[in-house]
Amino acid sequence: MKSGCLKSSIPLLVILLLTHYCSHIEAEQRHPSGEVVGKKLPPGENDSDFCVPGKAYSTYRCSPPVSSRTKAFLTFNVFEEGGDIPSFCDAKNYSNDKPIVALSTGWFDNASRCLKRINVTANGRSVLALVVDECASAMGCDADNDYQPPCANNIVSASSAVWKALGVPHDKWDGLNITWSDA
Ligand SMILES: *[C@@H]1O[C@H](CO)[C@@H](O)[C@H](O)[C@H]1NC(C)=O
Ligand SMILES: *[C@@H]1O[C@H](CO)[C@@H](O)[C@H](O)[C@H]1NC(C)=O
Ligand SMILES: *[C@@H]1O[C@H](CO)[C@@H](O)[C@H](O)[C@H]1NC(C)=O
Ligand SMILES: *[C@@H]1O[C@H](CO)[C@@H](O)[C@H](O)[C@H]1NC(C)=O
Ligand SMILES: *[C@@H]1O[C@H](CO)[C@@H](O)[C@H](O)[C@H]1NC(C)=O
C-alpha cells in the first residue's frame, strides 16, 4: 500500500511543478530551459535574421519575475495591417499605428496576458500597450518560427506607436532598456 501511495503522489508533484514552474523556481526564471540547433535552410530561404545552420541557440520557458518595474529589452516589431501574421491572441491584424506588443514566452504566460494592457516606461515617459502576441522563447529555428532564433526571455517587442510614444528617434529603434508593469 505504501508504494501505491507514493506512486499516486508523483503525478500530483509533477502537476504542481508544472503549474508553478516559472513562479516558484527562481533559477528557472533566468536560465535556459534547453536549446535548438539551426537546421539546413530550405533552398532559396536565406536571411541574415535566420538561424545559422549548426549553431545552437538557448531556449527559455520562463522570464524574470514581474514587478512594478520589470526590466526588459524593447525591440521593434512590424505589426502591419494585412502584412504581418494575424495576432495569436485574437487573430486580428493589428496596425503598427496602435500601441501593441508581443512578450517573451514566460511573460506571455500561456496567453494569460493576452489582450491585457502593460505600462511601458522609458526616458521618463510611459505608454499603455496591448499584449497581442508571443515572442517565442522556448522554440525557434524551424519552419513554424520562420527559421528565426528563439526570443530572449526579457523581450517586449513593440509596434512603432510604442516607440513613438516613448519619444525614441527612429534610428534608435534597434533596442532599448525599459521597465514595464501590468496596468
Ligand atoms: C545566408 O546569408 C548569410 C548572410 O546574409 C550568409 O553569411 C550565409 O552564408 C548564407 N547561408 C546560406 C546557407 O546560404
Ligand atoms: C490578416 O492578414 C492575412 C495575411 O495577409 C490575411 O490572409 C487575412 O485575411 C487578414 N485577416 C484580417 C481579419 O484582415
Ligand atoms: C495553457 O492554457 C490552455 C488553455 O487555457 C490550457 O489548456 C493549458 O493546460 C495551459 N497550459 C499550461 C502549461 O498551463
Ligand atoms: C505607468 O508607469 C509610470 C511609471 O511608474 C507611472 O508614472 C504611470 O502613472 C503609470 N501609468 C499608468 C496608467 O498606470
Ligand atoms: C541594458 O541592460 C543590460 C542588462 O541589464 C545592461 O548590460 C546594459 O548595459 C544596458 N544598456 C544600457 C545602454 O543601459
Side-chain angles (χ1 to χ4, degrees), residues 10-79:
I10 288 173
L12 180 62
L13 181 66
V14 169
I15 289 165
L16 284 174
L17 281 174
L18 284 178
T19 312
H20 298 285
Y21 191 78
C22 293
S23 47
H24 287 219
I25 305 177
E26 181 78 24
E28 295 301 336
Q29 292 165 349
R30 298 178 194 279
H31 296 293
S33 54
E35 64 178 33
V36 288
V37 177
K39 295 175 181 56
K40 191 169 177 286
L41 296 170
E45 292 267 17
N46 192 14
D47 190 295
S48 53
D49 289 346
F50 288 180
C51 291
V52 175
K55 185 177 170 186
Y57 297 84
S58 294
T59 56
Y60 296 86
R61 280 184 52 187
C62 300
S63 296
V66 173
S67 69
S68 58
R69 291 172 49 85
T70 317
K71 285 185 184 164
F73 191 65
L74 191 73
T75 60
F76 172 55
N77 195 355
V78 180
F79 299 85

Side-chain angles (χ1 to χ4, degrees), residues 140-160:
C141 301
D142 55 7
D144 281 350
N145 293 285
D146 294 330
Y147 303 101
Q148 305 225 340
C151 208
N153 69 346
N154 65 336
I155 299 298
V156 174
S157 186
S159 64
S160 51

Side-chain angles (χ1 to χ4, degrees), residues 68-69 118-122 124-128 179-183:
S68 58
R69 291 172 49 85
I118 65 166
N119 184 0
V120 178
T121 302
R125 296 202 204 186
S126 294
V127 56
L128 289 183
T179 62
W180 69 272
S181 60
D182 288 309

